[in-house]
Amino acid sequence: MTVARSAADVLDQHVVFELESIDRMYLNVWQPRLTHGGGASGFFVAHRGHHYASTALMDPMTKAFVADIHGFVAARGLELVSFGKGERKDDIAAQFLAGFTADEGVLFVGRAQEKAGVWRTQRRYNPVTGEPYAWLVRATAFINFFYFYCVDADFGPFFLKFSTYFPYTAKLCLNGHEWAKRQAAKAGIGFTALDNGFAAVDLDGLETVQAICDRLGPGHIDALLRKWLRILPHPFTPADEDAGYRYELSILQAEFSLTQMLDRPVSGRIFFEQVLHDNLDIGRPDRVSLVFNRRIRRRGKRPTPARFRTRVITDGVVPSLHVDYKNAKIKQYHKEGRALRTETTINDTRDFGIGKRLLNLPALRQIGFPANRRLLDVQRISHDPIRG
């Protein structure tokens, strides 16, 4: 077996197999009708029949919701963990997951204080009559959030965290690789797991695994939310849902990854030694425009709002390359000393003219996965003058 001589050589001759998959997704779980004052007022007046809307009507909902959570924890013998400042929640979840043997269930419930948007009641006065009236205004406050760390039979580990103040928004965090692993196991495909990926796959099952990864879409994720909303406590009643007050999903963050398993660790070291030496200008506007296939405006009334930079971050002895475009980032690193991982993280879908709703996930795929490939193409050209 020959030793790789350049980054282009590693990509062309030393990749055993590769897989593209959605990796981590962080989603907003929200009530579209309750995002503005008129909608919140309509919930209490038109829907629930009160004479006016105020935070005094929200307080009983909050107390009932928190009581339901404590009842849920007690009835199932779960542990309620209070997260400390700066404490890594994922590390705590990993400890609970290590001892979990069921196909699915709740690992534990966490509690933390975090800043969030809330409704406040403000007294205003009628300019004609001078009579006071209550008015709902948006504000921010540090409030309690409850984290439900769970394992799903199809998605594996995930968490759903709820705000305890009206309108009780939530966040859903899941991993597409974990979903793909469980679907591959159900299909009878042999594989060796990698942290957030596949380290090895039966040769006759590789195309099937890629097809599984390609299949993950909005319908699967929405079904996960609906399933666990039926299991976990939340503040809205069936009557509320029948009236159209139903949780929806939007994308806060989506990671699109390309994992290329290498024949041996030295291939990865050679790749990064050359890439980090010769591609520190990859963050320049002209090169970023190639990677993201977007026009970069440096002058005029509306220049592209971004910091054009390349960063090399070293965690221990493992370096990683970071390239920014607006709120999106590409990260490239040597994963577990065995694979080349290139992943594009989109933090604001509107950077690419795409809406935030979950139904736009297929369009985001067409941004994230090609960006990974174009970065590799630029790196190939940098180290292969003939190809350039």
Side-chain angles (χ1 to χ4, degrees):
M1 184 180 294
T2 60
V3 176
R5 294 168 297 173
S6 67
D9 194 18
V10 171
L11 295 173
D12 291 337
Q13 300 182 35
H14 296 269
V15 174
V16 178
F17 73 89
E18 62 182 33
L19 282 171
E20 283 183 333
S21 177
I22 292 174
D23 194 44
R24 185 177 180 270
M25 289 197 69
Y26 194 49
L27 302 126
N28 192 32
V29 183
W30 58 302
Q31 292 270 0
R33 296 178 64 181
L34 302 179
T35 57
H36 53 91
S41 178
F43 176 81
F44 289 104
V45 178
H47 169 55
R48 291 203 165 179
H50 295 283
H51 295 297
Y52 60 89
S54 82
T55 52
L57 301 174
M58 301 172 187
D59 186 59
M61 287 184 69
T62 294
K63 289 179 178 176
F65 180 34
V66 173
D68 285 346
I69 293 173
H70 285 285
F72 181 87
V73 169
R76 288 160 177 78
L78 300 172
E79 190 168 338
L80 179 59
V81 178
S82 294
F83 295 126
K85 185 177 180 180
E87 197 169 22
R88 280 186 55 85
K89 300 177 182 67
D90 287 348
D91 292 343
I92 297 173
Q95 295 173 13
F96 279 91
L97 186 61
F100 189 78
T101 57
D103 289 336
E104 68 177 23
V106 181
L107 295 173
F108 71 100
V109 178
R111 177 174 52 196
Q113 276 208 336
E114 299 174 12
K115 193 174 184 179
V118 298
W119 289 109
R120 300 288 192 195
T121 302
Q122 186 179 84
R123 176 174 289 189
R124 296 189 177 183
Y125 296 89
N126 188 306
V128 177
T129 65
E131 291 293 320
Y133 62 92
W135 189 261
L136 293 176
V137 295
R138 297 290 291 182
T140 58
F142 280 93
I143 63 173
N144 279 332
F145 280 82
F146 283 90
Y147 287 71
F148 294 89
Y149 278 86
C150 310
V151 175
D152 182 76
D154 285 324
F155 273 86
F158 74 96
F159 74 76
L160 183 63
K161 75 167 183 176
F162 275 101
S163 157
T164 55
Y165 272 49
F166 190 89
Y168 310 105
T169 54
K171 302 291 188 291
L172 173 65
C173 184
L174 57 90
N175 191 291
H177 276 115
E178 296 303 319
W179 180 84
K181 290 176 188 176
R182 279 157 178 77
Q183 307 315 306
K186 290 179 181 180
I189 299 171
F191 66 88
T192 301
L194 184 72
D195 179 34
N196 287 359
F198 294 82
V201 180
D202 289 351
L203 291 178
D204 57 349
L206 188 57
E207 290 185 6
T208 304
V209 171
Q210 184 59 70
I212 288 171
C213 294
D214 294 341
R215 201 169 69 234
L216 177 58
H220 301 97
I221 298 170
D222 187 75
L224 172 72
L225 175 66
R226 305 300 159 198
K227 172 182 175 179
W228 285 91
L229 284 177
R230 292 191 295 269
I231 297 171
L232 303 174
H234 69 82
F236 295 97
T237 67
D240 296 334
E241 295 176 10
D242 291 342
Y245 294 98
R246 184 174 184 269
Y247 279 116
E248 299 295 339
L249 286 161
S250 60
I251 300 169
L252 293 174
Q253 184 183 82
E255 293 179 354
F256 301 90
S257 73
L258 170 63
T259 306
Q260 296 169 297
M261 288 303 301
L262 304 174
D263 53 3
R264 46 185 170 167
V266 67
S267 299
R269 292 196 294 270
I270 290 171
F271 178 88
F272 275 96
E273 181 180 329
Q274 296 201 9
V275 162
L276 295 179
H277 181 268
D278 296 337
N279 281 266
L280 292 180
D281 62 345
I282 197 73
R284 285 170 42 188
D286 57 335
R287 307 198 81 187
V288 167
S289 67
L290 292 175
V291 173
F292 284 97
N293 196 26
R294 309 290 291 185
R295 183 179 177 183
I296 305 294
R297 295 184 176 91
R298 299 306 309 276
R299 296 181 177 84
K301 293 182 179 180
R302 299 181 65 184
T304 302
R307 289 179 296 177
F308 298 101
R309 60 179 181 172
T310 308
R311 291 178 295 151
V312 176
I313 299 175
T314 302
D315 182 7
V317 296
V318 180
S320 57
L321 181 71
H322 299 251
V323 182
D324 300 348
Y325 169 74
K326 293 186 177 180
N327 295 293
K329 305 178 188 300
I330 298 185
K331 178 182 177 182
Q332 194 176 57
Y333 59 101
H334 197 191
K335 189 171 183 64
E336 297 185 12
R338 307 164 68 186
L340 170 61
R341 170 65 69 85
T342 308
E343 58 189 29
T344 295
T345 301
I346 297 175
N347 295 298
D348 188 347
T349 64
R350 290 173 182 155
D351 285 346
F352 302 93
I354 298 172
K356 288 180 173 290
R357 296 280 186 129
L358 181 60
L359 58 84
N360 293 298
L361 182 58
L364 283 184
R365 282 178 171 272
Q366 302 308 312
I367 300 293
F369 290 130
N372 294 335
R373 298 286 183 181
R374 284 193 291 266
L375 174 61
L376 291 168
D377 286 343
V378 170
Q379 291 169 335
R380 269 197 183 94
I381 292 172
S382 298
H383 299 93
D384 190 339
I386 295 177
R387 186 187 296 268

